[in-house]
Amino acid sequence: AGVTMEGLHILAEFKGCRCASRLLLEAEALQQLCLAACQQAGLTVVGQLFHPFGTPDAPAGATGAVVLAESHLAIHTWPELGAVTLDLYVCNFSRDNREAAKAAYATLLQAFQPETVGRRDVLRGSLET
């Protein structure tokens, strides 16, 4: 079959999150969750950056990215809306990473406990040139 860049890109919006508020408010809590979700799923973290909004006394959400050997996770919290947006992309260059992506997603879903979920799975890399 040769080398392909096929992969799974999960795009999701969580609304009405019933998790502990610090997960939505604090960059450090979000960072710990995201790193654990990726590592427990068997994905390889090669870099990360999380940025807090607001002040230490009045946190107002966070945005973050985890760079994976398999691709990336990007996540953004909207505490005033009780919402999270995320995208998780894995490519399958050396092995099929789709189940690992689904496992990491499941961990995040369980942690945020949203009332409503919008999710789209995009299969990438099979476009004919």
Side-chain angles (χ1 to χ4, degrees):
V3 172
T4 70
M5 50 179 210
E6 287 180 20
L8 172 64
H9 201 156
I10 299 172
L11 303 168
E13 295 177 8
F14 297 163
K15 295 182 179 155
C17 293
R18 295 164 291 195
C19 58
S21 59
R22 62 187 296 267
L23 271 185
L24 297 175
L25 289 168
E26 299 174 18
E28 189 177 340
L30 183 67
Q31 178 182 25
Q32 289 171 353
L33 170 64
C34 291
L35 293 176
C38 291
Q39 289 162 343
Q40 288 165 9
L43 297 168
T44 310
V45 175
V46 296
Q48 49 155 316
L49 181 64
F50 284 78
H51 177 76
F53 295 101
T55 66
D57 295 331
T63 188
V66 179
V67 179
L68 303 167
E70 299 82 5
S71 216
H72 72 261
L73 164 66
I75 192 161
H76 317 279
T77 68
W78 308 84
E80 66 280 9
L81 302 173
V84 173
T85 60
L86 68 88
D87 75 282
L88 175 59
Y89 175 44
V90 296
C91 57
N92 299 318
F93 184 75
S94 56
R95 64 185 175 104
D96 188 336
N97 291 301
R98 285 173 293 188
E99 291 309 313
K102 291 174 185 175
Y105 174 87
T107 297
L108 295 169
L109 181 67
Q110 185 176 20
F112 287 110
Q113 300 172 42
E115 289 175 6
T116 58
V117 174
R119 173 176 164 173
R120 247 183 337 166
D121 288 7
V122 179
L123 297 177
R124 297 185 59 184
S126 57
L127 298 174
E128 297 296 324
T129 51

